[in-house]
């Protein structure tokens, strides 16, 4: 299930917030209201947002000051801001909006379709970035799991070789003890059989030693 993106709507007038919600409801995302710059900054402390629609003309902390605080925070500096203003003060005012970190500057009254289209672009970019982060996290976990499995696999042959070496050593001890007994009995057939066994054990020991890591003898 795809998680919905959050869109922060900042305006001191409830009727403007209601209008924005009506326009953006078709995007089927989570719309979060803030009636002041201070309230917007508080919301940004805990939630991640795809885009911020920020009214310029607000009492107290206006849109420009609010944007400056947003851009100073490492957590929120990359969130796109669309400034909304009811008054067009000309190019200088627009430039101030972009200088404050806005990605767009729209004067009221605005075309609802245009605003919805602009916001949908930032929502889509946000969702794509979330997917990329999730895929990167998954890939990192897979790589870490793969390295752990590789390390474990590397340990398994070493452990197996050690076990085989210990078993072979036990057989070698028994063969040596048997040879000493046969020397005393002076049974030629038995001595020949013991000698053959010792040669087999010697061959096994050499083959096993060649498989030991770091010997360089196992390479073909």
């Amino acid at each position: 299930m795809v998680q919905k993106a959050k869109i922060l709507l900042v305006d001191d007038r409830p009727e403007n917030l209601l209008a924005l919600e009506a326009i953006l409801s078709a995007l089927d995302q989570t719309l979060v209201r803030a009636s002041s710059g201070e309230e917007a900054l508080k919301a940004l402390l805990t939630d991640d947002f795809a885009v911020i629609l920020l009214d310029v003309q607000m009492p107290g902390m206006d849109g420009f000051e609010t944007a400056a605080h947003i851009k100073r925070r490492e957590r929120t500096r990359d969130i796109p801001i669309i400034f909304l203003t009811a008054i067009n003060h000309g190019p200088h005012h627009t430039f101030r909006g972009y200088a404050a970190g806005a990605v767009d500057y729209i004067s009221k009254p605005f075309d609802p379709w245009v605003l919805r289209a602009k916001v949908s672009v930032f929502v889509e970019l946000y969702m794509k970035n979330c997917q990329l982060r999730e895929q990167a996290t998954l890939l990192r976990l897979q790589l870490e799991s793969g390295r752990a499995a590789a390390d474990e696999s590397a340990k398994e042959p070493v452990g197996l070789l050690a076990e085989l070496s210990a078993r072979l050593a036990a057989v070698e001890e028994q063969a040596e003890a048997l040879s000493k007994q046969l020397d005393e009995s002076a049974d030629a057939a038995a001595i020949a059989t013991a000698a053959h066994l010792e040669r087999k054990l010697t061959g096994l020991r050499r083959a096993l030693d060649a498989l030991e890591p770091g010997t360089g003898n196992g390479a073909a």
Side-chain angles (χ1 to χ4, degrees), residues 74-102:
E74 183 176 356
R75 175 187 173 92
T76 58
R77 65 178 54 170
D78 295 325
I79 301 177
I81 298 174
I82 298 177
F83 272 131
L84 304 176
T85 180
I87 304 174
N88 187 356
H89 293 283
H92 176 73
H93 200 66
T94 303
F95 175 77
R96 187 182 175 192
Y98 287 118

PDB file of all heavy atoms in Angstrom, residues 74-102:
ATOM      1  N   GLU A  74      17.937  21.922   8.526  1.00  0.00           N
ATOM      2  CA  GLU A  74      18.443  20.860   7.655  1.00  0.00           C
ATOM      3  C   GLU A  74      17.339  19.882   7.281  1.00  0.00           C
ATOM      4  O   GLU A  74      17.300  19.374   6.159  1.00  0.00           O
ATOM      5  CB  GLU A  74      19.580  20.123   8.369  1.00  0.00           C
ATOM      6  CG  GLU A  74      20.238  19.047   7.515  1.00  0.00           C
ATOM      7  CD  GLU A  74      21.414  18.400   8.223  1.00  0.00           C
ATOM      8  OE1 GLU A  74      21.752  18.844   9.346  1.00  0.00           O
ATOM      9  OE2 GLU A  74      21.993  17.455   7.657  1.00  0.00           O
ATOM     10  N   ARG A  75      16.430  19.607   8.201  1.00  0.00           N
ATOM     11  CA  ARG A  75      15.353  18.648   7.964  1.00  0.00           C
ATOM     12  C   ARG A  75      14.389  19.121   6.880  1.00  0.00           C
ATOM     13  O   ARG A  75      13.823  18.305   6.140  1.00  0.00           O
ATOM     14  CB  ARG A  75      14.594  18.400   9.273  1.00  0.00           C
ATOM     15  CG  ARG A  75      13.359  17.512   9.141  1.00  0.00           C
ATOM     16  CD  ARG A  75      12.583  17.463  10.459  1.00  0.00           C
ATOM     17  NE  ARG A  75      11.323  16.760  10.285  1.00  0.00           N
ATOM     18  CZ  ARG A  75      11.143  15.473  10.476  1.00  0.00           C
ATOM     19  NH1 ARG A  75      12.162  14.731  10.853  1.00  0.00           N
ATOM     20  NH2 ARG A  75       9.977  14.905  10.308  1.00  0.00           N
ATOM     21  N   THR A  76      14.196  20.432   6.767  1.00  0.00           N
ATOM     22  CA  THR A  76      13.141  20.951   5.896  1.00  0.00           C
ATOM     23  C   THR A  76      13.636  21.803   4.731  1.00  0.00           C
ATOM     24  O   THR A  76      12.828  22.256   3.918  1.00  0.00           O
ATOM     25  CB  THR A  76      12.162  21.806   6.732  1.00  0.00           C
ATOM     26  OG1 THR A  76      12.885  22.885   7.359  1.00  0.00           O
ATOM     27  CG2 THR A  76      11.506  20.970   7.809  1.00  0.00           C
ATOM     28  N   ARG A  77      14.920  22.016   4.645  1.00  0.00           N
ATOM     29  CA  ARG A  77      15.436  22.965   3.650  1.00  0.00           C
ATOM     30  C   ARG A  77      15.139  22.566   2.205  1.00  0.00           C
ATOM     31  O   ARG A  77      15.099  23.430   1.315  1.00  0.00           O
ATOM     32  CB  ARG A  77      16.940  23.140   3.829  1.00  0.00           C
ATOM     33  CG  ARG A  77      17.753  21.894   3.557  1.00  0.00           C
ATOM     34  CD  ARG A  77      19.245  22.120   3.710  1.00  0.00           C
ATOM     35  NE  ARG A  77      19.594  22.679   5.009  1.00  0.00           N
ATOM     36  CZ  ARG A  77      20.832  22.788   5.468  1.00  0.00           C
ATOM     37  NH1 ARG A  77      21.844  22.376   4.720  1.00  0.00           N
ATOM     38  NH2 ARG A  77      21.055  23.294   6.666  1.00  0.00           N
ATOM     39  N   ASP A  78      14.943  21.281   1.962  1.00  0.00           N
ATOM     40  CA  ASP A  78      14.730  20.833   0.580  1.00  0.00           C
ATOM     41  C   ASP A  78      13.257  20.701   0.211  1.00  0.00           C
ATOM     42  O   ASP A  78      12.934  20.291  -0.909  1.00  0.00           O
ATOM     43  CB  ASP A  78      15.431  19.493   0.355  1.00  0.00           C
ATOM     44  CG  ASP A  78      16.944  19.616   0.464  1.00  0.00           C
ATOM     45  OD1 ASP A  78      17.471  20.674   0.060  1.00  0.00           O
ATOM     46  OD2 ASP A  78      17.597  18.667   0.947  1.00  0.00           O
ATOM     47  N   ILE A  79      12.353  21.022   1.133  1.00  0.00           N
ATOM     48  CA  ILE A  79      10.922  20.926   0.811  1.00  0.00           C
ATOM     49  C   ILE A  79      10.540  22.093  -0.104  1.00  0.00           C
ATOM     50  O   ILE A  79      10.790  23.253   0.226  1.00  0.00           O
ATOM     51  CB  ILE A  79      10.062  20.983   2.090  1.00  0.00           C
ATOM     52  CG1 ILE A  79      10.434  19.839   3.035  1.00  0.00           C
ATOM     53  CG2 ILE A  79       8.575  20.896   1.729  1.00  0.00           C
ATOM     54  CD1 ILE A  79       9.670  19.879   4.355  1.00  0.00           C
ATOM     55  N   PRO A  80       9.945  21.823  -1.263  1.00  0.00           N
ATOM     56  CA  PRO A  80       9.567  22.919  -2.175  1.00  0.00           C
ATOM     57  C   PRO A  80       8.461  23.790  -1.577  1.00  0.00           C
ATOM     58  O   PRO A  80       7.529  23.279  -0.941  1.00  0.00           O
ATOM     59  CB  PRO A  80       9.088  22.187  -3.431  1.00  0.00           C
ATOM     60  CG  PRO A  80       8.754  20.807  -2.978  1.00  0.00           C
ATOM     61  CD  PRO A  80       9.653  20.496  -1.831  1.00  0.00           C
ATOM     62  N   ILE A  81       8.584  25.089  -1.780  1.00  0.00           N
ATOM     63  CA  ILE A  81       7.609  26.057  -1.266  1.00  0.00           C
ATOM     64  C   ILE A  81       6.985  26.808  -2.437  1.00  0.00           C
ATOM     65  O   ILE A  81       7.697  27.355  -3.292  1.00  0.00           O
ATOM     66  CB  ILE A  81       8.278  27.063  -0.311  1.00  0.00           C
ATOM     67  CG1 ILE A  81       8.868  26.343   0.910  1.00  0.00           C
ATOM     68  CG2 ILE A  81       7.277  28.124   0.139  1.00  0.00           C
ATOM     69  CD1 ILE A  81       9.671  27.265   1.813  1.00  0.00           C
ATOM     70  N   ILE A  82       5.658  26.835  -2.462  1.00  0.00           N
ATOM     71  CA  ILE A  82       4.928  27.643  -3.441  1.00  0.00           C
ATOM     72  C   ILE A  82       4.297  28.808  -2.686  1.00  0.00           C
ATOM     73  O   ILE A  82       3.450  28.606  -1.804  1.00  0.00           O
ATOM     74  CB  ILE A  82       3.842  26.819  -4.154  1.00  0.00           C
ATOM     75  CG1 ILE A  82       4.464  25.667  -4.949  1.00  0.00           C
ATOM     76  CG2 ILE A  82       3.020  27.713  -5.083  1.00  0.00           C
ATOM     77  CD1 ILE A  82       3.442  24.770  -5.631  1.00  0.00           C
ATOM     78  N   PHE A  83       4.739  30.027  -3.013  1.00  0.00           N
ATOM     79  CA  PHE A  83       4.184  31.211  -2.365  1.00  0.00           C
ATOM     80  C   PHE A  83       2.852  31.581  -3.013  1.00  0.00           C
ATOM     81  O   PHE A  83       2.710  31.569  -4.241  1.00  0.00           O
ATOM     82  CB  PHE A  83       5.148  32.393  -2.492  1.00  0.00           C
ATOM     83  CG  PHE A  83       6.158  32.479  -1.385  1.00  0.00           C
ATOM     84  CD1 PHE A  83       7.499  32.652  -1.673  1.00  0.00           C
ATOM     85  CD2 PHE A  83       5.761  32.402  -0.057  1.00  0.00           C
ATOM     86  CE1 PHE A  83       8.433  32.752  -0.659  1.00  0.00           C
ATOM     87  CE2 PHE A  83       6.687  32.495   0.972  1.00  0.00           C
ATOM     88  CZ  PHE A  83       8.026  32.670   0.670  1.00  0.00           C
ATOM     89  N   LEU A  84       1.886  31.934  -2.173  1.00  0.00           N
ATOM     90  CA  LEU A  84       0.594  32.424  -2.638  1.00  0.00           C
ATOM     91  C   LEU A  84       0.396  33.830  -2.088  1.00  0.00           C
ATOM     92  O   LEU A  84       0.583  34.067  -0.889  1.00  0.00           O
ATOM     93  CB  LEU A  84      -0.534  31.504  -2.140  1.00  0.00           C
ATOM     94  CG  LEU A  84      -0.423  30.020  -2.509  1.00  0.00           C
ATOM     95  CD1 LEU A  84      -1.560  29.238  -1.857  1.00  0.00           C
ATOM     96  CD2 LEU A  84      -0.448  29.831  -4.012  1.00  0.00           C
ATOM     97  N   THR A  85       0.030  34.762  -2.932  1.00  0.00           N
ATOM     98  CA  THR A  85      -0.167  36.146  -2.478  1.00  0.00           C
ATOM     99  C   THR A  85      -1.377  36.764  -3.151  1.00  0.00           C
ATOM    100  O   THR A  85      -1.658  36.501  -4.329  1.00  0.00           O
ATOM    101  CB  THR A  85       1.079  37.006  -2.759  1.00  0.00           C
ATOM    102  OG1 THR A  85       0.838  38.339  -2.301  1.00  0.00           O
ATOM    103  CG2 THR A  85       1.419  37.022  -4.240  1.00  0.00           C
ATOM    104  N   ALA A  86      -2.100  37.581  -2.395  1.00  0.00           N
ATOM    105  CA  ALA A  86      -3.291  38.252  -2.927  1.00  0.00           C
ATOM    106  C   ALA A  86      -2.939  39.572  -3.587  1.00  0.00           C
ATOM    107  O   ALA A  86      -3.747  40.164  -4.288  1.00  0.00           O
ATOM    108  CB  ALA A  86      -4.293  38.486  -1.802  1.00  0.00           C
ATOM    109  N   ILE A  87      -1.728  40.038  -3.352  1.00  0.00           N
ATOM    110  CA  ILE A  87      -1.319  41.333  -3.899  1.00  0.00           C
ATOM    111  C   ILE A  87      -0.069  41.153  -4.749  1.00  0.00           C
ATOM    112  O   ILE A  87       0.904  40.536  -4.311  1.00  0.00           O
ATOM    113  CB  ILE A  87      -1.033  42.346  -2.776  1.00  0.00           C
ATOM    114  CG1 ILE A  87      -2.255  42.482  -1.860  1.00  0.00           C
ATOM    115  CG2 ILE A  87      -0.637  43.699  -3.340  1.00  0.00           C
ATOM    116  CD1 ILE A  87      -2.015  43.349  -0.653  1.00  0.00           C
ATOM    117  N   ASN A  88      -0.100  41.695  -5.935  1.00  0.00           N
ATOM    118  CA  ASN A  88       1.065  41.639  -6.807  1.00  0.00           C
ATOM    119  C   ASN A  88       1.829  42.958  -6.694  1.00  0.00           C
ATOM    120  O   ASN A  88       1.396  43.997  -7.195  1.00  0.00           O
ATOM    121  CB  ASN A  88       0.632  41.395  -8.256  1.00  0.00           C
ATOM    122  CG  ASN A  88       1.827  41.150  -9.174  1.00  0.00           C
ATOM    123  OD1 ASN A  88       2.986  41.233  -8.743  1.00  0.00           O
ATOM    124  ND2 ASN A  88       1.541  40.845 -10.419  1.00  0.00           N
ATOM    125  N   HIS A  89       2.955  42.918  -6.009  1.00  0.00           N
ATOM    126  CA  HIS A  89       3.746  44.124  -5.806  1.00  0.00           C
ATOM    127  C   HIS A  89       4.794  44.316  -6.903  1.00  0.00           C
ATOM    128  O   HIS A  89       5.676  45.150  -6.758  1.00  0.00           O
ATOM    129  CB  HIS A  89       4.439  44.074  -4.441  1.00  0.00           C
ATOM    130  CG  HIS A  89       3.472  44.135  -3.291  1.00  0.00           C
ATOM    131  ND1 HIS A  89       2.862  45.301  -2.889  1.00  0.00           N
ATOM    132  CD2 HIS A  89       3.012  43.155  -2.474  1.00  0.00           C
ATOM    133  CE1 HIS A  89       2.069  45.055  -1.846  1.00  0.00           C
ATOM    134  NE2 HIS A  89       2.136  43.763  -1.577  1.00  0.00           N
ATOM    135  N   GLY A  90       4.718  43.534  -7.948  1.00  0.00           N
ATOM    136  CA  GLY A  90       5.656  43.702  -9.044  1.00  0.00           C
ATOM    137  C   GLY A  90       6.843  42.770  -8.966  1.00  0.00           C
ATOM    138  O   GLY A  90       6.936  41.914  -8.094  1.00  0.00           O
ATOM    139  N   PRO A  91       7.778  42.940  -9.910  1.00  0.00           N
ATOM    140  CA  PRO A  91       8.931  42.042 -10.017  1.00  0.00           C
ATOM    141  C   PRO A  91       9.775  41.965  -8.746  1.00  0.00           C
ATOM    142  O   PRO A  91      10.283  40.897  -8.409  1.00  0.00           O
ATOM    143  CB  PRO A  91       9.732  42.650 -11.174  1.00  0.00           C
ATOM    144  CG  PRO A  91       8.730  43.421 -11.961  1.00  0.00           C
ATOM    145  CD  PRO A  91       7.760  43.957 -10.970  1.00  0.00           C
ATOM    146  N   HIS A  92       9.918  43.085  -8.044  1.00  0.00           N
ATOM    147  CA  HIS A  92      10.751  43.070  -6.839  1.00  0.00           C
ATOM    148  C   HIS A  92      10.164  42.136  -5.786  1.00  0.00           C
ATOM    149  O   HIS A  92      10.891  41.376  -5.131  1.00  0.00           O
ATOM    150  CB  HIS A  92      10.882  44.484  -6.270  1.00  0.00           C
ATOM    151  CG  HIS A  92      11.655  44.526  -4.980  1.00  0.00           C
ATOM    152  ND1 HIS A  92      13.026  44.341  -4.936  1.00  0.00           N
ATOM    153  CD2 HIS A  92      11.248  44.694  -3.691  1.00  0.00           C
ATOM    154  CE1 HIS A  92      13.436  44.404  -3.672  1.00  0.00           C
ATOM    155  NE2 HIS A  92      12.373  44.617  -2.901  1.00  0.00           N
ATOM    156  N   HIS A  93       8.846  42.182  -5.639  1.00  0.00           N
ATOM    157  CA  HIS A  93       8.182  41.323  -4.659  1.00  0.00           C
ATOM    158  C   HIS A  93       8.326  39.857  -5.055  1.00  0.00           C
ATOM    159  O   HIS A  93       8.575  38.990  -4.212  1.00  0.00           O
ATOM    160  CB  HIS A  93       6.699  41.709  -4.585  1.00  0.00           C
ATOM    161  CG  HIS A  93       6.025  41.256  -3.336  1.00  0.00           C
ATOM    162  ND1 HIS A  93       6.343  41.750  -2.084  1.00  0.00           N
ATOM    163  CD2 HIS A  93       5.041  40.347  -3.144  1.00  0.00           C
ATOM    164  CE1 HIS A  93       5.578  41.175  -1.175  1.00  0.00           C
ATOM    165  NE2 HIS A  93       4.780  40.323  -1.798  1.00  0.00           N
ATOM    166  N   THR A  94       8.179  39.598  -6.352  1.00  0.00           N
ATOM    167  CA  THR A  94       8.330  38.224  -6.844  1.00  0.00           C
ATOM    168  C   THR A  94       9.754  37.728  -6.631  1.00  0.00           C
ATOM    169  O   THR A  94       9.977  36.586  -6.202  1.00  0.00           O
ATOM    170  CB  THR A  94       7.977  38.154  -8.339  1.00  0.00           C
ATOM    171  OG1 THR A  94       6.650  38.638  -8.531  1.00  0.00           O
ATOM    172  CG2 THR A  94       8.074  36.722  -8.851  1.00  0.00           C
ATOM    173  N   PHE A  95      10.727  38.596  -6.909  1.00  0.00           N
ATOM    174  CA  PHE A  95      12.125  38.218  -6.717  1.00  0.00           C
ATOM    175  C   PHE A  95      12.404  37.883  -5.256  1.00  0.00           C
ATOM    176  O   PHE A  95      13.148  36.959  -4.953  1.00  0.00           O
ATOM    177  CB  PHE A  95      13.044  39.355  -7.172  1.00  0.00           C
ATOM    178  CG  PHE A  95      14.496  39.096  -6.901  1.00  0.00           C
ATOM    179  CD1 PHE A  95      15.230  38.235  -7.704  1.00  0.00           C
ATOM    180  CD2 PHE A  95      15.128  39.680  -5.811  1.00  0.00           C
ATOM    181  CE1 PHE A  95      16.565  37.971  -7.442  1.00  0.00           C
ATOM    182  CE2 PHE A  95      16.466  39.437  -5.543  1.00  0.00           C
ATOM    183  CZ  PHE A  95      17.185  38.578  -6.362  1.00  0.00           C
ATOM    184  N   ARG A  96      11.792  38.646  -4.351  1.00  0.00           N
ATOM    185  CA  ARG A  96      11.982  38.371  -2.931  1.00  0.00           C
ATOM    186  C   ARG A  96      11.451  36.984  -2.576  1.00  0.00           C
ATOM    187  O   ARG A  96      12.021  36.288  -1.739  1.00  0.00           O
ATOM    188  CB  ARG A  96      11.264  39.433  -2.097  1.00  0.00           C
ATOM    189  CG  ARG A  96      11.551  39.310  -0.601  1.00  0.00           C
ATOM    190  CD  ARG A  96      10.797  40.350   0.197  1.00  0.00           C
ATOM    191  NE  ARG A  96      10.986  40.147   1.620  1.00  0.00           N
ATOM    192  CZ  ARG A  96      10.271  40.745   2.562  1.00  0.00           C
ATOM    193  NH1 ARG A  96       9.308  41.590   2.223  1.00  0.00           N
ATOM    194  NH2 ARG A  96      10.513  40.502   3.836  1.00  0.00           N
ATOM    195  N   GLY A  97      10.367  36.596  -3.214  1.00  0.00           N
ATOM    196  CA  GLY A  97       9.823  35.257  -2.968  1.00  0.00           C
ATOM    197  C   GLY A  97      10.777  34.163  -3.399  1.00  0.00           C
ATOM    198  O   GLY A  97      11.027  33.215  -2.671  1.00  0.00           O
ATOM    199  N   TYR A  98      11.330  34.290  -4.579  1.00  0.00           N
ATOM    200  CA  TYR A  98      12.298  33.299  -5.063  1.00  0.00           C
ATOM    201  C   TYR A  98      13.579  33.320  -4.229  1.00  0.00           C
ATOM    202  O   TYR A  98      14.187  32.286  -3.969  1.00  0.00           O
ATOM    203  CB  TYR A  98      12.616  33.546  -6.533  1.00  0.00           C
ATOM    204  CG  TYR A  98      11.492  33.168  -7.467  1.00  0.00           C
ATOM    205  CD1 TYR A  98      10.867  34.116  -8.267  1.00  0.00           C
ATOM    206  CD2 TYR A  98      11.049  31.847  -7.550  1.00  0.00           C
ATOM    207  CE1 TYR A  98       9.832  33.779  -9.124  1.00  0.00           C
ATOM    208  CE2 TYR A  98      10.004  31.502  -8.401  1.00  0.00           C
ATOM    209  CZ  TYR A  98       9.402  32.468  -9.180  1.00  0.00           C
ATOM    210  OH  TYR A  98       8.363  32.118 -10.017  1.00  0.00           O
ATOM    211  N   ALA A  99      13.981  34.524  -3.805  1.00  0.00           N
ATOM    212  CA  ALA A  99      15.181  34.641  -2.983  1.00  0.00           C
ATOM    213  C   ALA A  99      14.994  33.956  -1.638  1.00  0.00           C
ATOM    214  O   ALA A  99      15.961  33.475  -1.039  1.00  0.00           O
ATOM    215  CB  ALA A  99      15.532  36.109  -2.781  1.00  0.00           C
ATOM    216  N   ALA A 100      13.751  33.910  -1.175  1.00  0.00           N
ATOM    217  CA  ALA A 100      13.465  33.261   0.102  1.00  0.00           C
ATOM    218  C   ALA A 100      13.446  31.742  -0.019  1.00  0.00           C
ATOM    219  O   ALA A 100      13.317  31.034   0.979  1.00  0.00           O
ATOM    220  CB  ALA A 100      12.126  33.754   0.649  1.00  0.00           C
ATOM    221  N   GLY A 101      13.550  31.246  -1.234  1.00  0.00           N
ATOM    222  CA  GLY A 101      13.615  29.800  -1.423  1.00  0.00           C
ATOM    223  C   GLY A 101      12.399  29.185  -2.071  1.00  0.00           C
ATOM    224  O   GLY A 101      12.259  27.959  -2.113  1.00  0.00           O
ATOM    225  N   ALA A 102      11.500  30.012  -2.592  1.00  0.00           N
ATOM    226  CA  ALA A 102      10.302  29.475  -3.229  1.00  0.00           C
ATOM    227  C   ALA A 102      10.626  28.858  -4.590  1.00  0.00           C
ATOM    228  O   ALA A 102      11.525  29.321  -5.293  1.00  0.00           O
ATOM    229  CB  ALA A 102       9.265  30.587  -3.418  1.00  0.00           C
TER     230      ALA A 102
END
